[in-house]
Structures are given as structure tokens and as C-alpha cells.
Amino acid sequence: MMEIKLQRADTTDAKILHEMQVASFQELYDRYQDHDTSPANEEADKIEERLRQEMTYYYFILCGQQKVGAVRVIDEKQAGKSKWISPIFVLPEFQDKGIAQKAISLCEEIHGSEGWELETIMQEEKNCHLYEKMGYRKTGRTEAINDKLTLVFYEKL
């Protein structure tokens, strides 16, 4: 596998981040019709707004020199405050190659390996498997979005 690296994004990258996010989440949106919560249904200005937040870190996931996905880390850098991954995505043609796993490991190298939280779609077994394989554990909290989709919450203490 090619080398995976993270490259910090800034507000000038909002448009490309939005395009990649929509492309990456469109299939899930089509399947679950989660109009209010799907990253595929989000406006570009929402990403730009997040990029301006002091505690938000967006990284492009690079495979060689190619942008194949992105991850947003929310890190307030305060003791006792969890860090969040929300969202992480890999373009469809690059999925199932271990890229997301490597990207999460790189995020943990940058921001510390403990005190993480995230949520994912309970019905997406491969997502749940990825996070569990990386040491994330279900918190017991779930949130039904509609009759097809339930979010499940994870933490890595």
C-alpha cells in the first residue's frame, strides 16, 4: 500500500472538502435517507464555518500526493475533554484499503491516543468493525435517526 499521510486543510479548502464529502457519503444518504444528519446533504458553508473554529482540525488524507479523503478532529486541548472524529471519509474508489484505519492512527499520533469519541451508523457493520478493531468501545448510547438508521456512539479512553 502507498504511504498514507495527513495534510492540514484551511478555509481555502472548504469547496474541495465539501465535494469529497458529498461523493463519499452519497451512497449512504441514498440508502438511509437521513436528510438532516447526512454529511452528503450538508452545505459547503458549514464546512467553512467549522474550518474557522479554533478547536477544529481538518486533514486531507493523502495516498502518495493524491487526496483520497479527509478527517475532522475536534480537540479543545483541555484535560477531561474528549476529542471527536466527525466526520472521517474516504472516496468510494479508495475504500476498503485500510486508509481510514491508517488515518485514524495518524490522528491519534498528532492529538494523543486517549480520550476519543465518535459516532457511526450502527447498520454499517464494516464501520463498526473498523472502530472496534482500533480499540473503540460502544458507550451503550444510540440515537435513532429514522426507521432505517441508528447512530451508535463509541469511545476510546
Side-chain angles (χ1 to χ4, degrees):
M1 192 215 293
M2 293 187 70
E3 182 188 12
I4 302 299
K5 295 183 299 214
L6 298 181
Q7 175 187 314
R8 182 90 187 258
D10 63 34
T11 52
T12 64
D13 297 311
K15 187 176 186 302
I16 180 121
L17 282 166
H18 181 256
E19 289 169 3
M20 293 173 74
Q21 177 173 295
V22 170
S24 299
F25 283 100
Q26 189 64 51
E27 181 189 336
L28 293 174
Y29 174 71
D30 292 345
R31 187 176 317 146
Y32 296 109
Q33 297 296 302
D34 51 328
H35 307 291
D36 297 332
T37 58
S38 175
N41 217 21
E42 221 170 56
E43 297 296 326
D45 59 357
K46 185 100 172 171
I47 292 174
E48 190 169 338
E49 189 181 302
R50 287 191 196 120
L51 281 160
R52 295 183 195 284
Q53 295 172 342
E54 207 172 297
M55 70 263 197
T56 284
Y57 301 81
Y58 264 102
Y59 300 97
F60 285 110
I61 302 168
L62 301 179
C63 188
Q65 297 301 310
Q66 189 172 12
K67 292 176 176 134
V68 299
V71 57
R72 174 181 175 227
V73 173
I74 304 163
D75 184 357
E76 296 183 41
K77 299 198 179 293
Q78 292 178 350
K81 284 277 196 177
S82 292
K83 297 168 282 239
W84 277 81
I85 294 174
S86 176
I88 182 169
F89 54 88
V90 176
L91 292 168
E93 60 268 31
F94 296 100
Q95 291 175 7
D96 300 319
K97 297 180 186 330
I99 293 171
Q101 182 176 340
K102 179 65 174 155
I104 292 169
S105 294
L106 291 169
C107 288
E108 291 176 354
E109 284 177 27
I110 296 167
H111 294 275
S113 60
E114 297 172 348
W116 288 91
E117 291 186 55
L118 58 83
E119 63 193 48
T120 194
I121 299 170
M122 188 166 73
Q123 290 82 355
E124 290 297 310
E125 290 178 13
K126 70 179 187 181
N127 291 1
C128 295
H129 177 74
L130 163 69
Y131 299 127
E132 289 169 15
K133 182 169 65 173
M134 298 201 64
Y136 288 78
R137 296 290 167 250
K138 289 179 180 159
T139 65
R141 181 176 160 213
T142 59
E143 185 181 329
I145 301 301
N146 60 34
D147 60 354
K148 299 177 192 168
L149 185 154
T150 300
L151 294 176
V152 59
F153 292 78
Y154 282 88
E155 64 187 3
K156 185 175 187 177
L157 302 174

